[in-house]
Amino acid sequence: MKWSVWVVLFFASVTSQGCASIYKPPQPWERDILAQDKMLIGGDPLEIQIDDKITFSKEASSIGRSIGGGGCGCN
Amino acid sequence: MQLKQKKSLTEALALATCSLLSQAPQNAMATATEGDWDFDVSMLNYQEADARVRVVELDINSKWQRKDDSALSFKVVSDSMTGATPSGASKVAGAQSQTSTTASGTVVASDVGEAAGKFLDPLVDFVDRRNGFVVDWENVFARTITTNLGGAYSVEDDYSSMGVNGSAGIDLNNKLTRVDVGLAWTWDTVSPSVAGGPPPEGEIVGGRLFSYDDGHKLIVDKSVGVTQVLNRRTVTKLTYVTGTTDGYLSDPYKLVTVHNDVSDLPKSYYYEKRPNTHARDALNLELMHQMAGGAVFNGYYRFFWDDWDISSHTLDMRYRIDLGASQYIQLHGRYYTQTAADFYHARLTEADERNLPEYMSADYRLDELTTTTLGIKYGFNFSQFGHFRIRYETMEQQGTTGDYTQLKAKILHAAVTVKFGR
C-alpha cells in the first residue's frame, strides 16, 4: 500500500507540472488530428490485445490497462 | 469585392442547407434499416527458441455499428499451443525421462528421485487447443455517456474460462475529459489431465490432496480511468486497475525439486503450491502525441504491485512514421522488470524439505526477471475502408535463478480490417 501512495503522488506531481505548460485545450473545430484513427488512445486494439496476451502468459503482472476478455491456462 | 464574396458565401450556405434538407429523409431511412460493419482478421505466430512454446492464433472480429449509436461486436478466437515448457524439475545430465506427454502436461511417475535412480524431465512437451468467443454491446446515450456490456467464454483441453464485464464512460468538460469505470467477473476452471484427478498441491509420492472441484478460481477486476485531451495533438489517459483472484491458483503441472545437500542431485519432487488468494493493482499512464509532420508517438507506463510481493515496471513505446498517404511503418520497444514472488524457490534444500514452506513454486515467471521486446510494423490502407498491417518482433527474457533463466521468442502478427457500409 505504501508503494501505491508514492506512485499516485508521483504521477499527480508530474501530471500537474507537465500539463500546466502543454495544456492548451482545442476548440471543437480543432479536433481533426485527434479524430484520426492513428490517434486512438492505446494504439491499434488488435496489436495491444495480442501483446497483452503474450505478456500475461510470460510475466507475473497479471493485470493491465483493460479488464475482462477471457482467461487462459497459459504455459 | 467584399460584397461579391458575401453574396457567394450566402449562396453557398443556401445551397448547402437545401442539399442537407433534401437528403434528410434518405438518411432517416438509412438509420432505420442499415448499419456499418467492421471485420478484423488477425493471425499470430509466436515461436520460442529451443523448441519451447509455439502458439498459432486466429482471431476474427466483427462489429456492427448501428446508426442509433449502438454497436454489437463478436469475436471468435482459436489457438493452437504446442512445444515444451519448464516443469520445475531440475536438469540432471544424462538422466532418463520419467514423464510422458498428455493433453497439456505430464503424468508423474511415483518413486522418483536420486534413490530410485529416476529423475523427472525439466522440460515437458504439451499440446493444447483453445477456442473461445467474446461478445460486446456498446450504447451511447445523450452523446456523452457510453456503456458496454460484454461476455467471454473459452475452453481448452484442460481449462475453461467464462466471464462477464460492464463499463460506463462519460464525456465531460466539452468532451476534453472522459471518465470510465469498469467491472469484470471471470470464473475459470482447471481440470488437468493428471491421472487420478487434479490439483495435487503437495508431495508427489502419496495420495492426491484435492478433488476436481477444487480447480476453480474467481477473478474480479475493477478499473477507473480518466482520459484528458491536453492540446490539439496530445491526449493522455490514466487508469487504475485493481483485482482479486480467489480459488485454486497453483499450476497443476509445475513442480519444485529438492536437492541432496551432498550430491546436489534431485532427491524428491513436490507439486507447487500457491496461496489461494491474490490481490493485484496496476497504475497505467498512456500518452498519444502527433508530431508536426504527422508521426505519432505512443508512450505507455505501468506500475504493478500485488500481495505476493511482486512489483513491476513496464515502459512501452511505439513510434509511427507515415510513408505517403496510405503506408506507414511503426517502431516498437518495450522494457519490463519484475521482482520475485515471496514463495518463489528455484529449488529446495534438505533443510527446506524438513520444514516445507507453506507456499512454494519454481515457475520461472515468478522469478525476478526482465523482458525486452523490439519490433517493426508495416501497414497500408488499401482503400478508404481497408487496412492491412504486419509486424515482426523479438522478445528476450532474462531471469535470475533456476535452470531456465533465458527465453527468446519471435512474434509474427498480421491483421486486416475491412469496413463496409460507409
Side-chain angles (χ1 to χ4, degrees):
Chain A
M1 193 61 194
K2 192 168 62 177
W3 269 105
S4 59
V5 172
W6 280 111
V7 169
V8 169
L9 288 174
F10 171 77
F11 275 109
S13 170
V14 170
T15 306
S16 62
Q17 290 175 28
C19 290
S21 58
I22 62 172
Y23 184 61
K24 295 174 185 171
Q27 296 299 320
W29 56 88
E30 293 178 321
R31 297 182 190 179
D32 52 333
I33 293 173
L34 294 170
Q36 295 171 3
D37 284 348
K38 63 182 180 181
M39 287 297 288
L40 182 65
I41 188 82
D44 184 342
L46 290 179
E47 188 176 330
I48 300 303
Q49 177 184 300
I50 290 289
D51 287 357
D52 283 352
K53 184 173 176 183
I54 291 172
T55 55
F56 172 83
S57 306
K58 296 293 159 186
E59 296 165 350
S61 302
S62 52
I63 201 167
R65 63 190 97 181
S66 62
I67 59 174
C72 72
C74 303
N75 293 284
Chain B
M1 192 67 182
Q2 287 179 338
L3 285 173
K4 191 176 178 182
Q5 277 187 329
K6 280 186 178 176
K7 186 180 177 185
S8 62
L9 180 62
T10 307
E11 286 173 353
L13 285 171
L15 186 64
T17 305
C18 290
S19 175
L20 284 171
L21 287 173
S22 66
Q23 289 179 8
Q26 291 174 352
N27 290 341
M29 284 180 67
T31 300
T33 59
E34 291 181 7
D36 298 331
W37 283 89
D38 293 357
F39 282 97
D40 299 310
V41 179
S42 164
M43 178 71 91
L44 167 74
N45 183 50
Y46 170 90
Q47 176 70 65
E48 295 178 359
D50 304 320
R52 296 267 294 267
V53 176
R54 184 183 183 205
V55 178
V56 177
E57 177 174 328
L58 174 68
D59 291 78
I60 300 173
N61 299 282
S62 67
K63 183 176 182 180
W64 182 26
Q65 183 68 56
R66 291 168 51 83
K67 299 214 168 158
D68 62 357
D69 279 343
S70 69
L72 203 53
S73 301
F74 304 92
K75 175 185 165 188
V76 178
V77 56
S78 182
D79 295 352
S80 161
M81 293 163 277
T82 55
T85 187
S87 65
S90 298
K91 284 182 180 175
V92 179
Q96 291 184 342
S97 171
Q98 290 297 303
T99 60
S100 60
T101 303
T102 67
S104 181
T106 169
V107 172
V108 181
S110 58
D111 301 325
V112 289
E114 186 182 14
K118 299 175 185 175
F119 303 101
L120 299 180
D121 276 347
L123 278 177
V124 176
D125 292 334
F126 72 96
V127 177
D128 206 353
R129 295 167 296 252
R130 176 174 176 262
N131 294 297
F133 67 87
V134 179
V135 295
D136 185 75
W137 182 34
E138 178 184 307
N139 272 287
V140 180
F141 302 98
R143 295 191 171 189
T144 55
I145 298 173
T146 307
T147 61
N148 284 76
L149 285 174
Y153 177 76
S154 68
V155 60
E156 300 170 42
D157 291 347
D158 59 353
Y159 198 92
S160 66
S161 173
M162 64 181 87
V164 293
N165 61 79
S167 66
I170 183 166
D171 289 313
L172 305 166
N173 189 22
N174 201 20
K175 290 199 170 183
L176 294 169
T177 306
R178 180 180 172 83
V179 177
D180 291 282
V181 293
L183 185 58
W185 291 269
T186 308
W187 177 252
D188 288 4
T189 302
V190 60
S191 44
S193 37
V194 175
E201 287 181 317
E203 192 173 6
I204 285 178
V205 181
R208 306 294 178 186
L209 302 180
F210 293 86
S211 69
Y212 270 102
D213 292 334
D214 294 312
H216 298 301
K217 63 182 170 188
L218 175 66
I219 305 163
V220 181
D221 290 334
K222 298 164 227 170
S223 70
V224 56
V226 178
T227 306
Q228 178 65 49
V229 172
L230 295 181
N231 55 51
R232 196 182 173 197
R233 297 180 173 278
T234 313
V235 58
T236 187
K237 184 175 185 181
L238 182 65
T239 311
Y240 171 66
V241 185
T242 183
T244 56
T245 309
D246 294 289
Y248 180 78
L249 308 186
S250 299
D251 185 326
Y253 304 113
K254 299 293 185 191
L255 310 171
V256 182
T257 308
V258 178
H259 282 247
N260 185 311
D261 291 343
V262 180
S263 67
D264 200 37
L265 287 169
K267 175 179 171 290
S268 52
Y269 302 91
Y270 289 79
Y271 282 109
E272 72 159 37
K273 185 176 183 182
R274 306 184 189 197
N276 59 9
T277 61
H278 191 193
R280 302 153 289 129
D281 298 89
L283 204 52
N284 305 267
L285 181 64
E286 299 178 67
L287 178 85
M288 297 290 289
H289 176 72
Q290 186 166 146
M291 315 292 176
V296 175
F297 171 78
N298 176 8
Y300 169 71
Y301 170 76
R302 174 184 63 177
F303 177 64
F304 168 94
W305 69 101
D306 70 6
D307 62 352
W308 288 359
D309 218 18
I310 297 169
S311 63
S312 74
H313 300 274
T314 308
L315 187 61
D316 189 301
M317 290 183 287
R318 295 165 210 259
Y319 189 68
R320 171 178 156 148
I321 306 159
D322 288 341
L323 306 172
S326 61
Q327 301 179 74
Y328 66 89
I329 59 169
Q330 178 179 275
L331 307 175
H332 177 213
R334 179 180 183 272
Y335 181 76
Y336 169 87
T337 180
Q338 75 176 41
T339 59
D342 52 12
F343 54 87
Y344 174 77
H345 301 278
R347 58 198 289 184
L348 296 178
T349 64
E350 290 187 62
D352 293 331
E353 189 177 28
R354 286 191 289 274
N355 186 21
L356 273 178
E358 183 179 11
Y359 304 113
M360 55 188 180
S361 173
D363 189 336
Y364 71 97
R365 295 169 295 192
L366 298 175
D367 188 12
E368 179 182 340
L369 58 82
T370 61
T371 310
T372 308
T373 307
L374 293 172
I376 186 165
K377 174 181 172 183
Y378 167 76
F380 76 93
N381 297 305
F382 52 86
S383 76
Q384 189 180 351
F385 307 116
H387 177 204
F388 172 81
R389 57 274 202 205
I390 185 166
R391 63 186 173 124
Y392 174 77
E393 305 206 327
T394 61
M395 187 180 88
E396 192 164 332
Q397 204 166 52
Q398 185 65 55
T400 308
T401 55
D403 289 337
Y404 294 94
T405 55
Q406 195 171 57
L407 174 71
K408 292 182 179 178
K410 296 175 180 174
I411 299 159
L412 185 64
H413 179 215
V416 62
T417 300
V418 181
K419 301 180 178 184
F420 296 99
R422 265 69 175 179

